[in-house]
Amino acid sequence: MSNKVQEFMEAVKAKNPAQPEFHQAVEEVVETLMPFIEANPKYAKAKILERIVEPERLIIFRVPWLDDKGDVQVNRGFRIEMNSAIGPYKGGLRFHPSVNLGILKFLAFEQVFKNSLTTLPMGGGKGGSDFDPKGKSDNEVMKFCQSFMNELFRHIGPNTDVPAGDIGVGGREIGFMFGQYKKIRNEFTGVLTGKGREWGGSLIRPEATGYGTIYFAENMLNRVGDSLKGKACVVSGSGNVAQFAVEKINHLGGKAVTLSDSGGFIHDPNGITPEKLAYVMELKNVKRGRIKEYAEKYGVEYFEGKKPWGIKCDAAFPCATQNEISLEDATKLVNNGCKLVSEGANMPTVNDGVQVFLDKKIFYGPGKAANAGGVSVSGLEMSQNSLRFNWTREEVDEKLQGIMKAIHEQCVKYGTEGDYVNYVKGANLAGFVKVADAMLAHGIV
Ligand code: NDP
Ligand code: 2IT
């Protein structure tokens, strides 16, 4: 780490104590940006880096609700409005017991660069709550979502801040929050994305993150005349992103052999076929069960409390959560012959693990580029809401593919180092330049 980066990081850590995930995300970006900033003094003079790590606004609020027993529950709600230089704040809401300020700030920070890469006019934000939807009834989830929106509504709007889903927030939760916003404001607007088809949602939004991650991988491989066809793929998670990553791996002729949840992972060497995937979707989205049940149903192995990175594969798709690939896991993957990692999750690999991928020169698509398909189709949902019009499935999918290709091209443009494409550097630089130039144009605000 250069002295400049070290100095910068010390200041960030002193000002934002006890936020390790935020420090990690900032450090990864600043390390790749510093040489560029030094070569372009206009950014240093305007203190763009110092400004870009400081959220424009933090909103923290109490979320009280009544559970089914009639007891009062209290959660904490957050919205991080990180950067609006190139468009309204945009980013998901995460409901998970681990949620805290540092985690949401890392997510909001990454979102700024990701949204810039999408080519669409969206700033960066993130929010959520330490509420745990697991084991809660639909009624309890509704009560929580309504109380959450009773405060959030005054901070968001279709031209101000447009939240969406993330871990623990899917179609059900977006529906409850949209219903409450509509009731309070007496307005039917595109204030949230990930809405249902019948009430303003976009086709392909549920599929978009998983599909996009696989499209990004295919772009990396196509550049050197290869493809996913016939490749063994290890996937983690079994939620929204993982499910549609597996669906697209199947479409492209690859073979997905694992899925996981916080309990452990299943290994199905014969592949998670479309029929088996339909079972997983029913299990996870309707019955809200555990992935272990897959192993019982199909007679495959279940590894309790383990992650799938020790399974031999050609390509890996982490689609669960941050820091799920440790340094040891990254080393194991490359030693077992894994040639490609495309991140459906946000920051799933620790920084030392990322360095292993770069040192070994494998194809490595960092989350802010590889999982940008979700927010891209959110952007397309906003466009359709403004137009009061819906595009067809084919139209949205074609636009998504075009956007993932454009993101890949920006990474190649900014990240090529001799015969290797450093997609980390490419994504960080390309994402930064657009936002930084907008900030320069807007003056000191
Ligand atoms: P879901 O809630 O649908 O699924 C999350 C999956 O990850 C579940 O299988 C869950 O298991 C597992 N998981 C979550 N937290 C942990 C943990 N701490 N340890 C182990 N497993 C865990 O979320 P999504 O699929 O939407 O999100 C997955 C990842 O993708 C996240 O990193 C998210 O930020 C990122 N992402 C999501 C986008 C979207 O559009 N939804 C867009 C871009 C990125 P369990 O049920 O046991 O908790
Ligand atoms: O991390 C992400 O990009 C998301 N959770 C999706 C954000 C969005 O606004 O669709």
Side-chain angles (χ1 to χ4, degrees):
M1 202 190 297
S2 77
N3 283 346
K4 272 249 161 86
V5 174
Q6 203 161 345
E7 215 174 281
F8 186 85
M9 285 314 302
E10 275 165 20
V12 167
K13 287 176 186 170
K15 211 169 181 182
N16 305 276
Q19 296 178 2
E21 293 86 359
F22 179 60
H23 305 160
Q24 180 184 338
V26 171
E27 185 172 306
E28 189 242 83
V29 167
V30 171
E31 264 202 293
T32 56
L33 284 184
M34 200 55 93
F36 179 77
I37 305 270
E38 289 184 313
N40 295 274
K42 63 181 176 181
Y43 298 122
K45 187 162 186 306
K47 297 254 164 64
I48 296 293
L49 269 191
E50 288 80 352
R51 284 155 68 188
I52 218 166
V53 298
E54 196 64 33
E56 289 178 13
R57 192 175 299 106
L58 293 178
I59 300 151
I60 305 183
F61 51 100
R62 179 171 71 199
V63 189
W65 55 281
L66 268 187
D67 68 17
D68 287 348
K69 293 201 283 265
D71 290 336
V72 178
Q73 300 285 340
V74 187
N75 286 100
R76 183 171 289 175
F78 301 86
R79 186 71 184 166
I80 318 296
E81 296 185 336
M82 199 74 192
N83 194 299
S84 62
I86 62 166
Y89 308 107
K90 181 85 197 85
L93 296 169
R94 176 177 291 190
F95 293 168
H96 193 273
S98 64
V99 161
N100 60 35
L101 186 59
I103 287 181
L104 293 180
K105 278 176 65 185
F106 114 64
L107 289 161
F109 181 74
E110 293 257 307
Q111 199 80 44
V112 173
F113 296 83
K114 184 195 303 190
N115 292 5
S116 168
L117 286 169
T118 65
T119 72
L120 303 175
M122 298 182 289
K126 199 85 189 189
S129 175
D130 58 359
F131 173 72
D132 186 359
K134 253 188 232 123
K136 303 287 191 303
S137 69
D138 284 350
N139 182 55
E140 289 176 323
V141 170
M142 181 178 76
K143 290 281 169 53
F144 172 80
C145 288
Q146 290 175 340
S147 180
F148 186 80
M149 190 51 83
N150 283 346
E151 173 59 35
L152 188 67
F153 86 94
R154 67 185 94 250
H155 307 288
I156 62 176
N159 296 309
T160 306
D161 184 351
V162 184
D166 193 78
I167 291 176
V169 178
R172 174 181 61 167
E173 292 74 18
I174 294 291
F176 292 146
M177 288 189 276
F178 183 77
Q180 188 69 358
Y181 182 89
K182 187 166 68 62
K183 185 177 171 74
I184 299 171
R185 288 267 200 209
N186 192 24
E187 250 178 40
F188 196 112
T189 54
V191 67
L192 293 161
T193 59
K195 298 186 292 298
R197 224 357 235 131
E198 307 77 12
W199 38 281
S202 175
L203 287 164
I204 301 285
R205 176 62 188 90
E207 292 88 340
T209 311
Y211 278 18
T213 301
I214 306 305
Y215 289 147
F216 194 83
E218 192 75 345
N219 272 288
M220 293 197 284
L221 291 169
N222 285 171
R223 203 186 124 263
V224 298
D226 199 356
S227 77
L228 276 173
K229 199 171 166 56
K231 297 218 165 22
C233 301
V234 159
V235 179
S236 69
S238 50
N240 172 266
V241 180
Q243 291 169 16
F244 289 104
V246 171
E247 184 164 290
K248 189 50 71 179
I249 289 169
N250 286 338
H251 288 171
L252 296 181
K255 185 164 81 167
V257 294
T258 65
L259 278 172
S260 72
D261 61 22
S262 54
F265 79 92
I266 58 104
H267 181 209
D268 188 343
N270 293 324
I272 300 161
T273 57
E275 296 70 36
K276 293 173 180 171
L277 180 61
Y279 166 81
V280 172
M281 288 183 174
E282 170 81 11
L283 174 71
K284 285 289 170 183
N285 309 345
V286 182
K287 295 190 181 134
R288 300 188 188 269
R290 310 305 300 156
I291 201 66
K292 186 180 180 182
E293 295 167 52
Y294 180 109
E296 288 152 13
K297 175 150 174 87
Y298 293 110
V300 303
E301 258 193 291
Y302 173 66
F303 297 84
E304 178 98 33
K306 294 267 184 335
K307 293 177 178 154
W309 315 123
I311 300 295
K312 196 172 157 48
C313 64
D314 303 306
F317 300 94
C319 297
T321 193
Q322 66 274 0
N323 292 330
E324 56 173 317
I325 299 183
S326 66
L327 172 61
E328 296 71 38
D329 295 329
T331 309
K332 230 185 292 177
L333 278 168
V334 295
N335 286 348
N336 278 339
C338 175
K339 289 282 184 301
L340 178 147
V341 176
S342 185
E343 297 182 337
N346 284 305
M347 203 171 76
T349 312
V350 302
N351 285 351
D352 288 349
V354 170
Q355 201 52 52
V356 170
F357 298 150
L358 298 180
D359 288 346
K360 296 286 179 186
K361 297 197 169 183
I362 69 163
F363 297 98
Y364 170 62
K368 62 172 81 73
N371 72 37
V375 75
S376 297
V377 175
S378 278
L380 300 177
E381 183 171 328
M382 290 166 73
S383 304
Q384 292 169 84
N385 291 164
S386 298
L387 290 168
R388 299 194 184 284
F389 189 73
N390 293 315
W391 293 321
T392 64
R393 225 184 133 76
E394 290 69 31
E395 283 171 320
V396 180
D397 194 22
E398 199 178 305
K399 289 182 204 296
L400 170 62
Q401 290 187 47
I403 288 170
M404 296 316 295
K405 191 160 185 272
I407 295 173
H408 180 264
E409 277 164 9
Q410 293 176 75
C411 291
V412 172
K413 179 176 165 197
Y414 283 93
T416 298
E417 296 173 333
D419 61 353
Y420 181 61
V421 180
N422 179 338
Y423 287 91
V424 177
K425 179 174 161 194
N428 288 342
L429 271 174
F432 174 77
V433 168
K434 188 170 155 190
V435 177
D437 287 349
M439 290 172 75
L440 286 180
H442 296 165
I444 314 298
V445 288

